Amino acid sequence: MLAERPITPSTLSVKDLPWQIKWDINTCTKCGRCTSVCPVNAIELGVFRKREINAPMGLSAKPTTTFSTFYGIRQRTDPAYSCIGCAMCNMVCPNNAIRPERQYDSTTLEFQNNRGGQSRTRGGRRNNSESLLDQIKFIRISMLTDPALDAGRHEFEMRTLLGRVLSPEAELKALRENGWMPPVREIYPLVIGGMSFGALSPNMWEGIQMAVAYLNEELNMPVRVCTGEGGCPPRLLRSRFLKYVILQIASGYFGWDEIIHAIPEMKEDPCAVEIKYGQGAKPGDGGLLMWYKVNKLIAAIRGVPKGVSLPSPPTHQTQYSIEESVAKMIQSMSMAWGFRVPVYPKISASSTSMAVLNNLVRNPYAAGLAIDGEDGGTGAAYNISMNHMGHPIASSIRDCYNALCTAGAQNEIPLIAGGGIGKHGNLAANAAALIMLGASMVQIGKYVMQAGAGCLGSEKDRCNVCNIGVCPKGITSQDPRLYRRLDPEKVAERVVDFYLSFDTELRKVFAPLGRSTSLPIGMSDALGISDKDAADRLGIKYVI
């Protein structure tokens, strides 16, 4: 028997909601576990009255109405408490008596979820199941021309360079004229992108940092992690593990007072400094940490009052051009660490990406360019931005790499690609495709949450409540009742596992190419796709 809440004038019908709760009264023991773990209070436990109409056969007898009272579960139909399909109720139910079911026909919730005049925000990627990267094939298989390598037994140089890579002659010239050479870091080509201490829970952040330290010190994999906007704990700034961290500075400058004050006490230099100008989830807009997550600890690190939303401006308020950015921000950050640390900007992928890159080529202080495509996003973003703004990462990276080739600087400035990589679990294939299109390395965010901590969000609008601090897994919540569900050591173990599997799969792609001493950056003749327009746009082979 399935119980449904009756329609009232102030609410929608259960049938109007994309996720509907199915509950079996016969197996439910009314323990209340499901209602206690529901992150959005979509279900309620109570005493309900049920109406039943008995219609006897024939025309002489009139129908009768009876009412019965029962204890049970019912779904709330108020749009503010609509089910998000996370299935936490099913996970904790001892009798499998309750579950959410997706209704794939059109619903009216999309017309009702802007109550109070507030546009809907969510955390997660756009609700689009398509991915161009998944359509790309690797078609150049070396057998007799260039013998293929043994992926399991051959040694591969799975490293890339972050920083301004100059020829020996150019480095000596820079040393004579400027007194310094551009710093360069040798790192692993898969970087954990910016997810801040505040956006992620303390347990999730600690688990990622533990995994990165283990990968570096025990497995000799030089993996790096970006802090995101918001600074980082003072203990990390003064530890030897800082060398595995990329510090991000964004337009809100949150947490940077603590970082600047810690510079004299730093035992190690950070791996790099990333200056964020845009992100894939909301191009042209600043970051946003909603007030649900700004507890006492986060407020102290960021230097703000407790319990207030923290929006970042869309631009750095003292910079209005790339030339000004290089002169003021990139150069000043380089000077802060004595020109020992690479400094590079991060932008949203757009039709202006090449204009930014062309200006960076002419300036010796820029150490690279990170580009975040339209499918990126783990933070709070408006639906209108996430679903309808941005530029695909594949064509943006390809255009920028071709521009570098035209300028003769394709081996000088590294391109860092992000946004939708591994969106459907094909992380190694997507990363290899972007490397062959011209990226020196790729960065991921949502994939770490999904593979490392069991994130429930999906591109079909399941869960995706990272922004409001009620994450049912405790990944993106600052509520100790929620993030205590997450074991940092288990997170670290899973992150290490997927890095090892990624490394194996990447070797499986590169081995048939006959490449082992360096990454096949820009090796586009190895790629093919069955979409003629995409093949022409990316400059790869059309295969069918």
Side-chain angles (χ1 to χ4, degrees), residues 192-226:
I192 299 178
M195 296 180 288
S196 68
F197 186 79
L200 296 183
S201 68
N203 286 15
M204 183 65 186
W205 222 73
E206 181 183 356
I208 292 176
Q209 297 295 334
M210 290 169 58
V212 170
Y214 184 87
L215 287 165
N216 278 273
E217 303 195 357
E218 298 295 331
L219 302 180
N220 197 31
M221 293 177 64
V223 175
R224 299 295 181 262
V225 56
C226 182

Side-chain angles (χ1 to χ4, degrees), residues 33-42 83-92 100 123 199 201 293 446 449 453-458 462-487:
R33 295 181 183 179
C34 54
T35 56
S36 64
V37 300
C38 181
V40 291
N41 298 319
C83 175
I84 57 176
C86 67
M88 288 298 293
C89 55
N90 179 260
M91 293 181 189
V92 300
S201 68
K293 297 185 177 186
K446 186 72 178 286
M449 294 161 56
C455 169
L456 301 170
S458 74
R462 182 189 184 195
C463 199
N464 291 343
V465 290
C466 318
N467 54 321
I468 59 175
V470 293
C471 173
K473 286 284 190 175
I475 302 170
T476 61
S477 174
Q478 299 301 326
D479 187 340
R481 295 172 299 177
L482 297 176
Y483 68 67
R484 283 172 185 163
R485 300 173 183 175
L486 205 60
D487 185 348

Side-chain angles (χ1 to χ4, degrees), residues 4 12 41 80 86 97 109 122 124 143 167 171 196-197 233 270 297 306 327 333 379 394 466 470 516:
E4 293 181 356
L12 299 172
N41 298 319
C86 67
L109 181 63
R122 73 172 191 269
M143 289 176 284
S167 64
E171 284 192 346
S196 68
F197 186 79
L297 174 61
K306 175 186 174 183
M333 286 295 106
C466 318
V470 293
S516 64

Side-chain angles (χ1 to χ4, degrees), residues 526-543:
L527 302 178
I529 193 169
S530 59
D531 187 325
K532 183 66 166 62
D533 294 331
D536 293 340
R537 179 69 180 83
L538 299 177
I540 61 179
K541 294 185 182 298
Y542 170 56
V543 293

